[in-house]
């Protein structure tokens, strides 16, 4: 049985207090907490076999290499990549998208071509494409969002055209929480011969994601949002696409042979992993994947849908609170972005912090979409496997307290 109260015991940080109150950690969309199993894996790495991978013939190096490549296989299996070579270890989602914007777009986007993203993209899936468009004389186009904060599929045929070379959209919005209709978007992209990329930063940690079923060419995600350390992430890419791409960074490990005036490239995935990789954190990502697999991703998703539904219902009781995104909890991830009357979200965040409650406030790196909605900032509570209905109750009670406090103060 899925038991968040039992799961909590694996996360040492959840036992701490903040301002004398038990920590209620509701900022999981920014980064997740780490279970003892992941922390222990890191300790074991440094205490037992720390050594450079792929380079040594000595025992430690071979052990480290074996664990690093096992982690790659685990990541591949987790997203149903047909081959481990389709998994490139990078620092995070941002680097994965930049890799594609640099290594793929350089040779595949030209003057007058189109790159399509959506209105609700995180800056990580917008700013790199602004540069490509400016450098290449290409057009950056936007898929609109519905009033419910979901990518509007009725616009697919007009926005995505035969000039479109790439469609890159967020799978789950970190602002509206919407689970976007990405299969339909991908179908339209492929219909016009474009490649299809998914920003999976908020989906891969929280629900089953199958790259074959979604039929995406690229998928980017970050380890730190799924119980692994920061500094490790994944770019999944279809092998036939990766094989034709030039390297991203150049240097050691990504080469086969080097002369003074030229070099040839290593096989996949090494061709895209120049220099010493972050193998310890990759191994810890493998441990995080083991942990999530033991819970079962269907159960993780179910828990978050239920918690989201519980939170939406409770928020609906608060007159001054407006929630962004779809009304139906099954169409969204376990995160709730909201405004609370006239209270500035930063004031609200500080108030809640004094109650021991950590939420995110600001524009969540999605400034243009906030601007479009006429908002400067919002508050966001985001859940994970260890969050409970009791914590949602505490949040709602503290919100009520804040609304009363600030009504008094003004
Ligand atoms: N995309 C989305 C939807 C996100 O929520 C985030 C992080 O908040 C990112 C991209 C960027 O992730 P990272 O900072 O790990 O690169």
């Amino acid at each position: 049985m899925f038991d968040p109260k039992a799961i909590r015991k694996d996360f040492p940080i959840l036992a701490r207090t903040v301002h004398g109150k038990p920590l209620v950690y509701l900022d999981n969309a920014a980064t997740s907490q780490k279970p003892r199993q992941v922390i222990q894996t890191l300790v074991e790495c440094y205490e037992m076999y720390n050594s450079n991978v792929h380079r040594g013939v000595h025992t430690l190096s071979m052990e480290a290499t074996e664990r690093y490549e096992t982690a790659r296989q685990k990541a591949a299996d987790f997203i149903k990549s047909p081959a481990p070579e389709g998994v490139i270890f990078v620092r995070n989602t941002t680097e994965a998208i930049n890799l594609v914007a640099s290594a793929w777009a350089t040779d595949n986007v030209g003057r007058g071509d189109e790159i399509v993203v959506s209105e609700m993209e995180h800056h990580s899936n917008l700013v790199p494409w602004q540069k490509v468009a400016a450098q290449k004389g290409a057009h950056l186009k936007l898929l609109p969002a519905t009033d419910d904060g979901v990518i509007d599929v009725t616009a697919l045929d007009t926005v995505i055209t035969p000039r479109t070379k790439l469609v890159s959209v967020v799978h789950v919005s970190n602002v509206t929480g919407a689970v976007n209709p990405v299969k339909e978007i991908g179908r339209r992209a492929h219909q016009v011969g474009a490649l299809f990329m998914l920003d999976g930063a908020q989906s891969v940690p929280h629900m089953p994601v199958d790259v074959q079923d979604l039929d995406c060419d690229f998928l980017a995600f970050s380890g730190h949002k799924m119980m692994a350390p920061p500094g490790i992430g994944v770019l999944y890419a279809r092998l036939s696409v990766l094989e034709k791409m030039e390297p991203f960074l150049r240097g050691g490990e990504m080469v086969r042979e080097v002369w003074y005036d030229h070099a040839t490239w290593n096989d996949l995935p090494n061709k895209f992993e120049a220099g010493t990789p972050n193998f310890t954190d990759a191994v810890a990502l493998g441990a995080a994947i083991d942990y999530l697999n033991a819970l079962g991703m269907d159960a993780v998703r179910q828990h978050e849908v239920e918690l989201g539904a519980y939170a939406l219902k409770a928020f609906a009781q608060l007159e001054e609170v407006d929630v962004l995104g779809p009304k139906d909890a099954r169409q969204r991830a376990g995160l709730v972005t909201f405004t609370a009357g006239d209270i500035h979200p930063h004031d609200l965040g500080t108030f809640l912090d004094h109650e021991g409650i950590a939420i995110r406030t600001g524009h969540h790196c999605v400034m243009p979409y906030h601007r479009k909605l006429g908002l400067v900032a919002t508050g966001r509570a985001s859940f994970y496997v260890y969050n409970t209905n009791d914590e949602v109750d505490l949040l709602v009670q503290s919100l009520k307290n804040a609304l009363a406090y600030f009504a008094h103060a003004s």
Side-chain angles (χ1 to χ4, degrees), residues 55 248-254 269-277:
R55 287 172 194 196
F248 173 43
L249 302 172
R250 289 165 164 78
E253 200 57 36
M254 50 73 67
N270 309 58
K271 176 175 145 188
F272 290 98
E273 291 184 1
T276 300

Side-chain angles (χ1 to χ4, degrees), residues 29-30 92-95 122 124 170 172 174 199 201-202 222 224-225:
N92 45 37
T93 305
T94 306
E95 185 170 291
H122 189 282
S124 296
V170 68
V172 169
N174 63 319
D199 170 350
Q202 300 295 346
S222 300
H224 70 94
K225 294 185 197 285

Side-chain angles (χ1 to χ4, degrees), residues 30 107 154 186 221 223 264 297 314-315 372 375 378 409:
D107 295 324
T154 64
F221 60 97
T264 56
M297 289 309 289
F315 273 56
K372 191 204 154 189
L375 299 166
T378 46

Side-chain angles (χ1 to χ4, degrees), residues 74-80 93 170-173 179 198-211 214 216 218-227 233-236 285 288-289 292-293 296-298 300-301 304 333 384-385:
K74 286 179 186 177
D77 293 343
F78 193 64
I79 55 168
K80 308 282 188 292
T93 305
V170 68
H171 190 180
V172 169
S173 164
V179 181
L198 281 175
D199 170 350
Q202 300 295 346
S203 59
V204 175
H206 300 281
M207 60 183 63
V209 171
D210 177 335
V211 291
L214 295 173
C216 57
F218 299 110
L219 168 75
F221 60 97
S222 300
H224 70 94
K225 294 185 197 285
M226 51 188 287
M227 306 184 184
V234 167
L235 172 69
Y236 157 79
L285 173 62
I289 288 172
L292 284 164
N293 280 336
M297 289 309 289
D298 283 317
V300 169
R301 168 76 181 140
E304 292 180 25
Y384 212 5
V385 295

Side-chain angles (χ1 to χ4, degrees), residues 66-334:
E66 198 268 320
R67 282 171 165 89
Y68 181 59
E69 292 307 327
T70 301
R72 191 188 310 280
Q73 184 68 57
K74 286 179 186 177
D77 293 343
F78 193 64
I79 55 168
K80 308 282 188 292
S81 164
E85 294 82 7
V87 166
I88 310 294
F89 282 124
V90 291
R91 280 189 303 148
N92 45 37
T93 305
T94 306
E95 185 170 291
I97 296 171
N98 273 276
L99 193 162
V100 178
S102 171
W104 178 83
T106 304
D107 295 324
N108 292 283
V109 177
R111 180 159 296 281
D113 286 342
E114 299 165 351
I115 299 154
V116 174
V117 298
S118 83
E119 280 182 344
M120 66 178 81
E121 296 308 321
H122 189 282
H123 299 160
S124 296
N125 193 33
L126 177 65
V127 178
W129 305 117
Q130 293 172 345
K131 175 155 187 247
V132 171
Q135 270 185 341
K136 296 287 187 170
H139 304 293
L140 182 55
K141 294 171 78 181
L142 299 175
L143 285 167
T146 65
D147 291 345
D148 259 359
V150 185
I151 295 176
D152 187 353
V153 288
T154 64
L156 292 181
D157 288 357
T158 42
V159 178
I160 301 173
T161 77
R163 291 304 313 250
T164 306
K165 291 288 184 254
L166 177 80
V167 178
S168 182
V169 295
V170 68
H171 190 180
V172 169
S173 164
N174 63 319
V175 173
T176 69
V179 181
N180 280 313
V182 291
K183 273 177 136 179
E184 270 184 86
I185 301 171
R187 257 197 303 276
R188 174 65 184 157
H190 287 152
Q191 197 182 47
V192 299
L195 293 193
F196 179 49
M197 169 143 117
L198 281 175
D199 170 350
Q202 300 295 346
S203 59
V204 175
H206 300 281
M207 60 183 63
V209 171
D210 177 335
V211 291
Q212 297 182 60
D213 180 51
L214 295 173
D215 200 20
C216 57
D217 301 290
F218 299 110
L219 168 75
F221 60 97
S222 300
H224 70 94
K225 294 185 197 285
M226 51 188 287
M227 306 184 184
I232 189 72
V234 167
L235 172 69
Y236 157 79
R238 201 187 289 279
L239 284 187
S240 56
V241 176
L242 268 188
E243 273 155 9
K244 289 194 214 111
M245 275 165 62
E246 281 292 298
F248 173 43
L249 302 172
R250 289 165 164 78
E253 200 57 36
M254 50 73 67
V255 283
R256 178 179 304 289
E257 282 196 85
V258 180
W259 291 263
Y260 279 118
D261 59 350
H262 72 285
T264 56
W265 311 141
N266 206 338
D267 293 332
L268 295 174
N270 309 58
K271 176 175 145 188
F272 290 98
E273 291 184 1
T276 300
N278 183 0
F279 55 93
T280 44
D281 291 334
V283 175
L285 173 62
I289 288 172
D290 288 343
Y291 190 92
L292 284 164
N293 280 336
L295 295 178
M297 289 309 289
D298 283 317
V300 169
R301 168 76 181 140
Q302 182 61 23
H303 171 66
E304 292 180 25
V305 168
E306 284 168 15
L307 209 48
Y310 186 79
L312 286 183
K313 205 164 153 209
F315 273 56
Q317 313 298 317
L318 304 176
E319 237 174 61
E320 299 94 326
V321 172
D322 286 325
V323 171
L324 274 60
K327 310 279 173 291
D328 182 347
R330 284 164 306 181
Q331 282 179 8
R332 52 190 298 152

